[in-house]
Amino acid sequence: MRLRNIPGSRDVIAENEYVVHEEKTVKGKWNIVFGNDNPIRIEIGMGKGRFICEIAMCNPGINYVGIEKYSSVLLRAIQKQEELKLPNLKFIRMDAEEIAEVFGKDEVDRIYLNFSDPWPKDRHAKRRLPSRQFLKRYDSFLKKDGIIEFKTDNRDLFDYAVIEANEAGWNIDSITYDLHNDPVMNEGNIMTEYEERFSSKGNPIFKYIISR
Ligand code: SAM
């Protein structure tokens, strides 16, 4: 997702209290950023932030960090948070390729990947957020018993992600090829913007939960 460039969005982000700047300097110190030792969960490629705002609102005892590459998109999440003012929600504008430089060992207990960009060309496979290259990065900061939750309506991307998880030695704890009709996995499901859009067209939603 890349919205039209919004003039001034970089300035708004630079001054916003909910955006963590110089994020590499807080590696291993996220408890200081939040002012508590609550668990930390992150969404990578959060888009306009519907999912992370709602999950943070429902779980005040957990800290959330939403990561998004584009300023114009992040701005929409900031606008939501400006109204909600949730103390347990922060954002970073960055390319997740550098994520291992932002969180320290065991600092995160859950990673959400929601409707990640598919990067359909083979030569771009390593840019896919559930690729083995990204799993290796996640491995460096996810707690030992931490999990990754991934959902998408893109069957090719999902099949690829399942293969990558297996190849990288992760365990598939749960899997569904029709989330909204799976009473167990759908319990407490929070819809993302893309999920709403694609499921309303009749697309089934695929989801896995993996651990090592
Ligand atoms: N998660 C949201 C949802 O489900 O509605 C947005 C999905 S959208 C298809 C994917 C988002 O991930 C886009 O906003 C894109 O800019 C962001 N993204 C893709 N690759 C990224 C990366 N390497 N680092 C940070 N954000 C990324």
Side-chain angles (χ1 to χ4, degrees), residues 164-181:
E164 290 295 276
N166 281 321
E167 290 284 325
W170 290 61
N171 307 311
I172 301 201
D173 300 330
S174 315
I175 189 163
T176 177
Y177 289 82
D178 190 359
L179 176 64
H180 296 174
N181 288 304

Side-chain angles (χ1 to χ4, degrees), residues 1-2 43-51 67-70 73 92 94-97 113-119 127 129 134 151 191-195 198:
M1 181 194 311
R2 194 169 180 182
E43 183 187 9
I44 306 176
M46 71 167 170
K48 298 186 217 163
R50 169 179 165 172
F51 170 87
I67 294 157
E68 171 52 50
K69 186 159 54 169
Y70 292 114
V73 185
I92 309 173
M94 67 175 288
D95 189 321
E97 286 194 5
L113 306 176
N114 292 322
F115 294 78
S116 307
D117 290 339
W119 292 106
R127 297 186 192 172
L129 296 179
F134 270 98
K151 55 184 174 176
M191 296 261 258
T192 78
E193 265 121 2
Y194 272 63
E195 185 172 355
F198 292 118

